[in-house]
Amino acid sequence: LMAENRMINLLIHTQRMKGLGATHIEQLKHKFYDLHGDLKETLGRPKKNFRMVICGPNGSGKTSFYFHIVEQLQKYERVDVFCYEQRHGPDLQENIARHKVKENKWNAIFYDPYAKRDSKLTLFEELVKHLNKPKRAKVVVIDSIDACQFTNEECQKLNEMFGHNTAFIWLSFEVNGKPKMVQARNIGGEGDYVLFAKFFIVRVDKSRFGGWKDYIVWEERAREKNPMYFADKDVQTKATKKGKKK
């Protein structure tokens, strides 16, 4: 009887689902980011509220890759990067210097979530408080989900609260070809992109918006770490050049 009453209350108080016919769906307007260069060939044309997981071990190029993404997106929106893993450490300093963030006046802010903590709030609650501000960023980078340790419920709550108009980029460690934490696997399964970084080369495992081409994050390092990857490509390039000369 109690179960029946709960179901009755649910039916009474639940809002109707919104249904649209094919004509109205065709008329819907979606907003996209227009990327350029190699990044466009990798990510295509992402919707403005995309969700992305970038996976890989330490030193694989995850951080450098998200800097390449932020470099283009910050021209459209402010980007907030939450550095749960590196904080304001030397790795972050190195990437900021290498990508000339200061010189090019990026519209991006890098936060150390552990500095000036509110002891009454969890890390998740502090992030929600920050994102609830009227003038907030529309692109958010979480580095990393392994460091912040948000639960599945908290990750889902972020999407429910802000996912309608905010892009989320999550960094994750990788184990045996999969995101290490189940939270990252769930975000990737429900989201738009899953990418794997290794030896400063990023491979697309999932994309809802096209692209799919491998991305070379840092060619000098990539050639040092994985010379065989470039062997066939160099041969093909030479063959193409010879064909053009003929």
Side-chain angles (χ1 to χ4, degrees):
L1 184 61
M2 291 179 62
E4 289 179 359
N5 287 336
R6 283 198 299 269
M7 182 59 69
I8 291 171
N9 287 329
L10 180 64
L11 293 171
I12 292 173
H13 296 291
T14 299
Q15 295 181 347
R16 291 178 59 192
M17 288 187 290
K18 184 178 181 180
L20 293 176
T23 301
H24 290 95
I25 291 175
E26 287 181 346
Q27 293 172 349
L28 292 174
K29 302 294 183 182
H30 297 287
K31 296 180 180 180
F32 298 87
Y33 287 114
D34 289 316
L35 305 177
H36 58 81
D38 293 339
L39 200 60
K40 182 177 181 178
E41 294 188 36
T42 300
L43 301 179
R45 193 165 176 252
K47 194 178 173 185
K48 286 205 168 184
N49 64 337
F50 70 87
R51 281 188 290 167
M52 174 186 294
V53 179
I54 306 171
C55 311
N58 278 327
S60 60
K62 297 191 303 295
T63 300
S64 295
F65 180 58
Y66 89 64
F67 264 79
H68 285 245
I69 299 173
V70 170
E71 182 178 13
Q72 294 200 25
L73 296 188
Q74 57 86 29
K75 296 175 182 178
Y76 297 94
E77 313 277 4
R78 193 185 94 208
V79 180
D80 281 357
V81 181
F82 295 90
C83 309
Y84 293 95
E85 187 174 320
Q86 299 184 35
R87 303 185 66 176
H88 289 159
D91 288 346
L92 182 64
Q93 288 180 318
E94 180 185 341
N95 273 285
I96 286 174
R98 180 149 41 85
H99 290 87
K100 295 181 170 54
V101 173
K102 180 181 176 181
E103 293 87 337
N104 294 320
K105 298 180 180 180
W106 283 20
N107 187 20
I109 302 176
F110 300 83
Y111 291 92
D112 178 352
Y114 298 97
K116 299 181 180 180
R117 285 286 319 272
D118 184 341
S119 60
K120 297 179 181 178
L121 301 177
T122 65
L123 287 173
F124 172 75
E125 290 168 340
E126 285 191 300
L127 178 61
V128 169
K129 181 180 178 181
H130 177 93
L131 295 180
N132 266 322
K133 293 178 180 179
K135 295 182 179 180
R136 64 180 180 85
K138 294 300 175 67
V139 179
V140 175
V141 180
I142 307 291
D143 184 9
S144 63
I145 191 167
D146 306 85
C148 71
Q149 293 284 312
F150 293 164
T151 66
N152 275 319
E153 290 74 17
E154 289 170 338
C155 294
Q156 187 63 39
K157 193 67 176 177
L158 281 178
N159 186 56
E160 291 172 0
M161 294 178 70
F162 308 108
H164 63 288
N165 65 354
T166 305
F168 280 90
I169 300 172
W170 298 80
L171 272 66
S172 168
F173 288 126
E174 172 260 333
V175 175
N176 297 325
K178 295 180 180 180
K180 181 179 178 181
M181 296 182 67
V182 66
Q183 293 93 314
R185 295 197 291 273
N186 289 341
I187 294 169
E190 297 172 0
D192 305 299
Y193 293 99
V194 179
L195 305 107
F196 288 89
K198 186 176 181 180
F199 299 142
F200 292 92
I201 302 169
V202 173
R203 172 180 59 83
V204 182
D205 189 68
K206 175 184 178 180
S207 171
R208 293 188 189 274
F209 303 113
W212 292 94
K213 184 178 179 180
D214 288 356
Y215 190 87
I216 310 302
V217 179
W218 189 353
E219 185 169 343
E220 182 182 357
R221 285 283 181 87
R223 285 184 177 275
E224 290 175 2
K225 299 280 188 180
N226 191 6
M228 292 303 297
Y229 177 87
F230 295 91
D232 291 339
K233 292 182 179 295
D234 291 341
V235 170
Q236 291 173 4
T237 301
K238 289 179 181 179
T240 302
K241 288 181 178 178
K242 285 182 179 180
K244 287 183 178 178
K245 287 180 180 179
K246 291 179 181 180

